[in-house]
Every structure is written in C-alpha cells, then in structure tokens.
Amino acid sequence: MSIAGIGVVSGYGWGREFLWQGLMGGKPAARLYPGYGPGRDQQAWVGRIPDGGDPAYGSGVFGRAVQAAAAEAIADAQARGWRRDGRTVGLVHAFTLGDVADWRDFYLVDDGHRRTRDYLRMLPSTPISVVMQEFGFHGPAMNVSAACSSGNVGVLTAKMWRDAGLVDDVLCVTTDVSATPEMLEHFVGMGAAVADVDPFTACRPFQEGTLGFTMAEASVAMLLTDAAELPYARVLGGAMTNDAFHVVSVDPVHAQIIACAERALSNAGLAAADVAYVNAHGTGTRQCDAAERDLLTTVFDDRPAITALKPLAGHCQGASAAIEVAAIALSYDRGIAASAPIMAPAHPRLLDGPTPMSDSPTLKLSMGMGGNNAAVVLAPA
C-alpha cells in the first residue's frame, strides 16, 4: 500500500503544512502553558493542539481534530488521483486514552450528568462513526491501542486488512490529546517527561545531556491505497513484538526490539544494508537511547542516517509514530529528510536538521509502554 493522502493537526497548527513548516524551520511546537505542576500553579512546556476546528464535531479538541485530520487526508488523496468510487474503504483509529479533558469535565464539572447526545460524543466509537458517516465508507472500522507505538500498529493493521482482502483502501487516523496537567504530572513523576525546561534542553535523543521528552498532542490521518496517481510513499512491510518485561521500562536485553526491526526488514523483503534511514522513536530518555543505540549497532552496523523528530514535534504519545510516519512521507515527496537540530555531542549518524534525502528505504521504529514495539518500513513512491 501507499500513503496517498495526509492530514495533520498538531501543536504547530491545523494542517499538514503547519507541521512541515515547523519541522523545516527548526522550531519546537511546544510553548509555555499555565496551570501545570502538582499545585496547578506552574507553567510547563507542552506541545498542545491550539484551539480550532469545527464546533459541530464537539465542544473539545478531540473530535474536531479527528474530523479535520481525516477530511484533510481524504481531500489530499483525491487531489493526488485517488477515486473512492466502487472501492471498499475501512477506517483504523489508533489512540490510547481518548478525550481525556472531556471525561475529566464529565466527572468533575458536570457530576456525571449530561444530555445523552453530549455523552455519546465521549465514546470511542463515536469519532470513527462520524467519519464513516460523513464520507460514506462501509469497510471495517475499529480502534486499536498499543501505547506510543499505536500509530505504527494502525498502519500495520491497515496493511493486514488489505492483504486479507477485507478492504481496498484504509483511512488510518491516530489521535492523542492527553497533554493535560493530570497526565503530565505523572509522566514527569516517572522520570520520562520534562516540563520545566525548553524542548531543545530537555529532549536530545542520541546526544549528551538528554533529560527526557516534552509532551505533545496530535491527530494524524493517512489514506492508504494502491490506487492513487501521485502517492507520497510506499509501505513495504513491518512487524510488532512485545518485551513482556515491565509495564513501563524497556527490557535491558533489547532482544525484542531488535527482533522487531529484523522481522520488519524480512517482511518488507529487504536486507539491513538496503535501509538508508532509521527514524528513531527518540524520546531522549536513557532507556530509549540505550535500546535504540544497541539496535542500530546490532542490526544495522551503525550505517544508516538517524532522524529524530521529538525535540521538534514533541512526544505525541499514542500519535507519536503517526506524526513521524507522516513526516517521512512528506520528506520523500519533497526530497528533504526532516530531523531536529543537534544541540550537544551526538551519535555520528544523527542528522543535524533538514538534509537532502535519497530515494532509499526508511525504517520507522516505535517503542510503547507495556513493551509494545512496532516497526514500519517505508520507501519513496
């Protein structure tokens, strides 16, 4: 399958061009917001989605962002030659916690009482049902969740549907709007997120002095098909494994993350030497850095270029893989590999900001809490 349409709502704004301009400009999506910290009296660096979207799709950002990303991806695919007539289109929505802010308000503001029609907006089935109705799609529609690797898992689920003959095309949407004070407090407490310093100081994957990630939000949609004239990139294959080790920590042996990359290459019909780029999960945490450095050495002999985007886009939690897959697809289309600027002594293969891109495959790696590993192999269209 190929990625034929892209829609993005992120901390940079409503639309994929805001994402691309932000990545090319080297400016983090995060800014300082009040109301964070244990006492809710501190500012925090967070890449929140700004207000926007159509109020018809909900009072909060979540439903609006799902619809906006989906509509942009479909319109983009149509502009690139995709025609839906006579084709069975499914929808995979990858997410983790759902509309966190709306559920909080349901309990703490409304005391659990709302009109039924407003309550229905909070159910996980509602956003994808609304999209299916709006565009008249009749293929399978479901939610998947694999923590921070959910975006990759969504793409691989879509590919499995197509390989099984269940669909012709799939709209793959991934949404995470959970950078609330309540959520950030606990990620800081776990030692993973950093809220009190700017993203370039906090998040330095594959560099000295890294502290952790800056929390962010996004909704990303990609129309996956083999029936578009001008697709962005091809999905060659992928794989998923699980550490079966700990609910948060990475298995220090790294066996399953390495196996995930090796199986993804095999599924894509490639050798490690064929891959020119590894888009890292790149959270900037010590555990993630150690695991990915081991994988790069063990599987790839430290040969491919490394791209890392979380210092810029932030860690969009369940949507982190999806926003990075979208960035890779845009990179192929525009001939520029997106990556964050280097701020400290770094791995010799880490790219320093935007760099001309070759027409060679990329392995996109993700590592989610609960030991969820997922890798997708992409190539230019």
Side-chain angles (χ1 to χ4, degrees):
M1 299 182 86
S2 292
I3 299 171
I6 298 173
V8 179
V9 179
S10 70
Y12 286 117
W14 292 68
R16 66 180 171 276
E17 291 306 319
F18 287 108
L19 170 66
W20 184 252
Q21 291 165 14
L23 297 179
M24 292 298 100
K27 181 180 178 181
R31 64 181 181 88
L32 281 170
Y33 284 90
Y36 284 82
R40 307 297 184 257
D41 56 354
Q42 300 174 16
Q43 290 187 318
W45 286 94
V46 187
R48 281 167 43 177
I49 293 175
D51 290 338
D54 188 340
Y57 296 96
S59 59
V61 169
F62 192 93
R64 298 182 188 187
V66 170
Q67 188 276 336
E72 185 181 29
I74 292 167
D76 188 29
Q78 290 172 331
R80 289 173 168 265
W82 177 68
R83 298 293 177 265
R84 49 172 286 194
D85 295 342
R87 300 181 70 81
T88 299
V89 183
L91 191 156
V92 176
H93 184 217
F95 80 113
T96 51
L97 295 172
D99 196 340
V100 173
D102 207 24
W103 277 104
R104 175 196 61 203
D105 292 347
F106 175 68
Y107 286 110
L108 299 183
V109 177
D110 298 338
D111 294 322
H113 300 292
R114 286 187 181 180
R115 295 183 303 170
T116 300
R117 64 180 296 177
D118 294 328
Y119 168 74
L120 289 174
R121 294 181 187 274
M122 300 190 301
L123 301 182
S125 57
T126 297
I128 61 175
S129 177
V130 169
V131 172
M132 296 295 278
Q133 292 174 55
E134 179 172 353
F135 295 101
F137 297 157
H138 296 285
M142 62 178 278
N143 294 296
V144 299
S145 182
C148 304
S149 62
S150 294
N152 272 2
V153 169
V155 171
L156 293 176
T157 300
K159 188 175 184 302
M160 287 189 288
W161 282 2
R162 206 286 304 270
D163 291 347
L166 298 176
V167 296
D168 297 308
D169 311 313
V170 182
L171 179 65
C172 185
V173 187
T174 309
T175 310
D176 196 298
V177 187
S178 65
T180 63
E182 298 86 357
M183 297 296 117
L184 180 58
E185 178 183 350
H186 292 286
F187 277 97
V188 170
M190 287 187 285
V194 179
D196 58 351
V197 296
D198 68 273
F200 284 159
T201 301
C203 188
R204 298 178 176 181
F206 303 98
Q207 302 169 61
E208 292 181 9
T210 187
L211 302 173
F213 60 76
T214 301
M215 202 164 179
E217 301 174 336
S219 184
V220 181
M222 293 175 280
L223 195 286
L224 303 176
T225 182
D226 58 3
E229 297 167 7
L230 298 169
Y232 287 95
R234 292 177 294 144
V235 180
L236 300 184
M240 297 175 274
T241 64
N242 191 282
D243 284 359
F245 173 74
H246 192 273
V247 296
V248 176
S249 297
V250 177
D251 185 350
V253 177
H254 305 148
Q256 293 306 315
I257 186 67
I258 289 170
C260 184
E262 292 174 336
R263 292 173 189 175
L265 292 172
S266 177
N267 183 253
L270 298 178
D274 298 324
V275 172
Y277 302 92
V278 171
N279 180 274
H281 188 52
T283 60
T285 62
R286 288 192 297 272
Q287 289 190 61
C288 183
D289 249 26
E292 293 195 284
R293 284 174 182 267
D294 190 7
L295 182 148
L296 286 161
T297 300
T298 303
V299 178
F300 295 102
D301 197 24
D302 288 322
R303 188 193 55 81
I306 305 167
T307 61
L309 294 176
K310 286 182 176 61
L312 292 169
H315 190 346
C316 300
Q317 305 298 302
S320 62
I323 201 168
E324 291 161 10
V325 169
I328 295 166
L330 290 167
S331 294
Y332 277 128
D333 184 65
R334 300 172 188 196
I336 304 172
S339 193
I342 292 175
M343 308 304 293
H347 191 292
R349 299 298 292 156
L350 180 65
L351 294 186
D352 187 8
T355 306
M357 191 169 192
S358 69
D359 289 337
S360 298
T362 298
L363 184 131
K364 165 61 200 150
L365 187 66
S366 286
M367 301 161 61
M369 288 197 301
N372 291 294
N373 308 308
V376 171
V377 182
L378 304 167

